[in-house]
Amino acid sequence: MTHLRQDLSHRTGRGLNAIVAGIVLWSTFTVLGVVLSDSFVLALAYVFGAGALFPLSLLVAKFLKLDPFASGNPLGTLAGLLGAVQVLFIPLMIGAVLAVPTMVPWFLAVLVGAHFLPFSWVYSSRAYLIAAISMPVAAGSYAWLLPASVPIVVPAAVTAILILVAVLLSRENAKTRNAQ
């Protein structure tokens, strides 16, 4: 099992492509939070924008020369399923858009953060554990303490966390390469 996890981590760069795509996406969400005043339109931008993550991550993988699917490694299939499970939360996101559109960034940040937890095991990565804990805590704290600022502050916080995760993943990847 350790060999499969090492192979997956090496070939996929521990999913760094998805984190970089997430940085682009959440940075865009931050800017949209500043420029769009209609909370319903902004909420729709979040939901539809989130759909752009996968194709964007494939482009980033190509640029970084990573194999995002790790063909032939059964853990590649597991990692793909763990990423795809987010699709099951579309009804929740639709409900959030309709009920409390200003809190959609909070909902999305909590879901994204929570889905990182199994990746900490799959990739033997502390960076994903940090993301899994810090994203829901930061999003929840800001939603509670600064509810009027959620459309700007939450995406900015998620962007900052993702930048930290990208740096940590890059270090983990470099350490793995140097050990081989």
Side-chain angles (χ1 to χ4, degrees):
M1 183 66 87
T2 300
H3 171 71
L4 291 174
R5 288 169 65 194
Q6 289 171 342
D7 176 65
L8 180 72
S9 296
H10 174 73
R11 290 169 57 193
T12 64
R14 288 184 168 85
L16 181 61
N17 58 304
I19 300 301
V20 171
I23 292 167
V24 171
L25 193 64
W26 284 92
S27 297
T28 303
F29 290 159
T30 304
V31 171
L32 290 175
V34 172
V35 299
L36 291 178
S37 58
D38 185 327
S39 62
F40 183 74
V41 171
L42 184 57
L44 289 176
Y46 270 92
V47 173
F48 288 106
L53 180 69
F54 182 67
L56 182 58
S57 73
L58 293 179
L59 285 173
V60 173
K62 191 172 192 166
F63 177 75
L64 296 176
K65 297 181 174 126
L66 297 173
D67 176 8
F69 301 109
S71 305
N73 184 327
L75 290 181
T77 302
L78 174 63
L81 290 171
L82 290 172
V85 77
Q86 294 288 86
V87 171
L88 300 175
F89 292 102
I90 290 173
L92 178 66
M93 293 308 300
I94 291 169
V97 168
L98 297 174
V100 282
T102 57
M103 290 294 156
V104 167
W106 170 71
F107 279 90
L108 191 58
V110 169
L111 290 173
V112 168
H115 109 284
F116 285 139
L117 186 60
F119 288 105
S120 66
W121 177 83
V122 170
Y123 292 125
S124 300
S125 171
R126 288 189 177 170
Y128 280 108
L129 183 60
I130 289 168
I133 294 168
S134 62
M135 236 181 254
V137 168
S141 298
Y142 288 128
W144 180 50
L145 297 171
L146 304 166
S149 300
V150 164
I152 299 167
V153 177
V154 169
V158 170
T159 301
I161 291 166
L162 289 173
I163 290 169
L164 172 65
V165 169
V167 169
L168 294 174
L169 285 176
S170 294
R171 287 182 183 168
E172 289 175 1
N173 289 336
K175 188 185 284 188
T176 302
R177 276 191 304 273
N178 293 338
Q180 293 177 344

